[in-house]
Amino acid sequence: MKRFVLSSVLLLFLLGGWLREIQDLKAVTLSPFCHKNDIRQSAHRNVTVLLWHWPFGFPNSLDGDVCWDLYHIPRCHLVVQHSFYNTADVVVFHNRELVRGHQKLPLHLPRPPGQRWAWMSLESPEHNGNLQQYANIFNLTITFRRDADISIPYGELLPRRDGEDEQGSEVAAPQNKTALVCWVISNYRKRQKRSQVYKQLRAIIPVKLYGHWSRRPLSPKALLPTISNCYFYLAFENSVTKDYITEKLWRNSYGGGAVPIVLGASLSDYKAVAPPRSFIHVDEFATIKALGEHLKHLAEDKKRYDEYFRWKQLWRVKLLADWRERLCRVCSQYNTLPQYKVYADLEAWVSAPNSKWV
Ligand SMILES: *[C@@H]1O[C@H](CO)[C@@H](O)[C@H](O)[C@H]1NC(C)=O
Ligand SMILES: *[C@@H]1O[C@H](CO)[C@@H](O)[C@H](O)[C@H]1NC(C)=O
Ligand SMILES: *[C@@H]1O[C@H](CO)[C@@H](O)[C@H](O)[C@H]1NC(C)=O
């Protein structure tokens, strides 16, 4: 009897602990995921978003009511014909073609009252070219930064709906681990921070290399299965930039089923968009040696390692890869946009104080 009571108490205690942890996970405020959404778009008229030119010259179909049909965003009229200029609420310019001189801003056209011009880019600051020429032109920014007017991250987490069909394997750590740490690197530059961290890490623990630099390129099809073989994946960004968190996290690590070791944006940037125990930030360790030791121990401790997959019970990854979806988000947020705003110094905004060029 006594033993029964004791074990019941123990069970309740353990269960309580587990529930608390689940609560912790739930309590994390992943602010950018709360879209100021569709429903609140009270004005019962279409918002017309004119894309001045397709990013990288690759057009997509805009047949039908694209934003509604694909993303359930209502009353959003997405167009590319310049003849809509006079009635467009927002005109969007993708930066790359502008800075390369392939496209020009229609500065000669009078701007209809209330029309906003939006600057759009997914590049890190050093790849945006010289933006000084764009002082006092744009009213909105569309980029990966959380503080952009329209934030378009490379990916995001959405809460799993109750009863949502999920495959058991999807929320657990893959069981076929053969390598401790993997890194897929094509453009190795000695002076980048990530290269220096790699060199120090390799002195402590084995790091398996893939990609052109090591002459072990991976086909797109082989990428995720290969990463699934690794306990840890170096999701090192090529740029140390505010909020610059690319598909290396969202797709390669989370999709491949390896725990991401991250470097690039700050720890607090990552914490704002990803749950605790879903990644390990290099800055959490005083030395790379300490990081290496930690990874070794974690891989040997199945219970602790598996904790890095528990967040998947609550969240699912959504990749944002289609420009149409990014553009439709202009409409979801249209009614909460600032009434009046001008980027007097776009260059200064883009190369924000805490973004370093590497
Ligand atoms: C609004 O836009 C949609 C999608 O382009 C279009 O089908 C619809 O006719 C438009 N409605 C109005 C009132 O302009
Ligand atoms: C390892 O397991 C995962 C699923 O757990 C699977 O998707 C992946 O293809 C496997 N990798 C290899 C190389 O077999
Ligand atoms: C947009 O920027 C232009 C150019 O600086 C400015 O004249 C206009 O008033 C701005 N419009 C809004 C809605 O902020």
Side-chain angles (χ1 to χ4, degrees), residues 115-347:
Q115 182 180 84
R116 295 174 173 98
W117 285 17
W119 177 87
M120 180 166 74
S121 173
L122 276 177
E123 307 282 337
S124 58
E126 67 268 31
H127 293 118
N128 276 326
N130 178 8
L131 302 177
Q132 310 224 318
Q133 53 186 319
Y134 302 130
N136 289 307
I137 289 176
F138 293 103
N139 308 102
L140 304 174
T141 48
I142 307 179
T143 184
F144 53 80
R145 288 248 300 265
R146 277 176 294 145
D147 60 350
D149 298 294
I150 313 286
S151 180
I152 47 165
Y154 282 81
E156 59 193 13
L157 299 181
L158 300 178
R160 282 191 190 276
R161 271 164 256 143
D162 285 336
E164 189 172 44
D165 218 22
E166 74 202 35
Q167 310 228 298
S169 64
E170 209 185 289
V171 298
Q175 298 298 310
N176 49 11
K177 304 292 183 196
T178 54
L180 183 60
V181 180
C182 299
W183 194 27
V184 182
I185 176 77
S186 296
N187 297 308
Y188 183 90
R189 299 222 182 86
K190 220 165 65 186
R191 288 178 52 197
Q192 281 181 339
K193 182 171 173 193
R194 61 180 184 180
S195 308
Q196 289 160 16
V197 170
Y198 157 72
K199 275 204 307 215
Q200 292 175 48
L201 196 58
R202 170 187 75 172
I204 320 243
I205 49 173
V207 178
K208 198 160 180 179
L209 288 179
Y210 295 94
H212 289 289
W213 181 59
S214 59
R215 298 206 185 86
R216 302 184 66 191
L218 286 175
S219 72
K221 249 176 87 183
L223 183 67
L224 297 189
T226 303
I227 291 174
S228 74
N229 284 150
C230 318
Y231 281 94
F232 303 101
Y233 169 77
L234 301 185
F236 288 0
E237 301 295 353
N238 63 12
S239 180
V240 177
T241 297
K242 182 177 162 53
D243 293 330
Y244 187 65
I245 302 173
T246 69
E247 68 284 343
K248 288 187 174 67
L249 178 77
W250 305 112
R251 181 171 176 274
N252 302 4
S253 316
Y254 288 167
V259 174
I261 313 302
V262 301
L263 173 157
S266 68
L267 177 56
S268 66
D269 286 352
Y270 276 92
K271 279 184 172 170
V273 297
R277 269 168 297 148
S278 75
F279 66 90
I280 293 170
H281 198 296
V282 170
D283 290 354
E284 288 174 274
F285 298 85
T287 60
I288 300 305
K289 185 162 186 293
L291 168 66
E293 301 291 345
H294 179 75
L295 299 184
K296 211 159 59 185
H297 292 136
L298 207 49
E300 285 162 1
D301 186 340
K302 180 167 162 39
K303 193 162 155 285
R304 274 179 67 210
Y305 180 76
D306 284 347
E307 281 173 14
Y308 279 83
F309 292 80
R310 207 184 279 166
W311 63 274
K312 294 191 173 192
Q313 296 167 1
L314 298 172
W315 303 98
R316 67 185 172 89
V317 178
K318 176 169 167 40
L319 301 174
L320 254 96
D322 192 315
W323 287 102
R324 294 174 296 185
E325 178 163 22
R326 298 174 180 132
L327 291 161
C328 294
R329 288 202 172 181
V330 174
C331 295
S332 336
Q333 298 184 28
Y334 187 76
N335 284 337
T336 58
L337 292 175
Q339 279 306 312
Y340 174 85
K341 188 168 186 176
V342 177
Y343 281 82
D345 189 348
L346 184 66
E347 173 72 40

Side-chain angles (χ1 to χ4, degrees), residues 46 65 76-77:
N46 275 343
D65 187 347
C76 191
H77 194 207

Side-chain angles (χ1 to χ4, degrees), residues 8 34 69 110 172 191 290 357:
S8 305
C34 320
D69 296 346
R191 288 178 52 197
W357 292 24

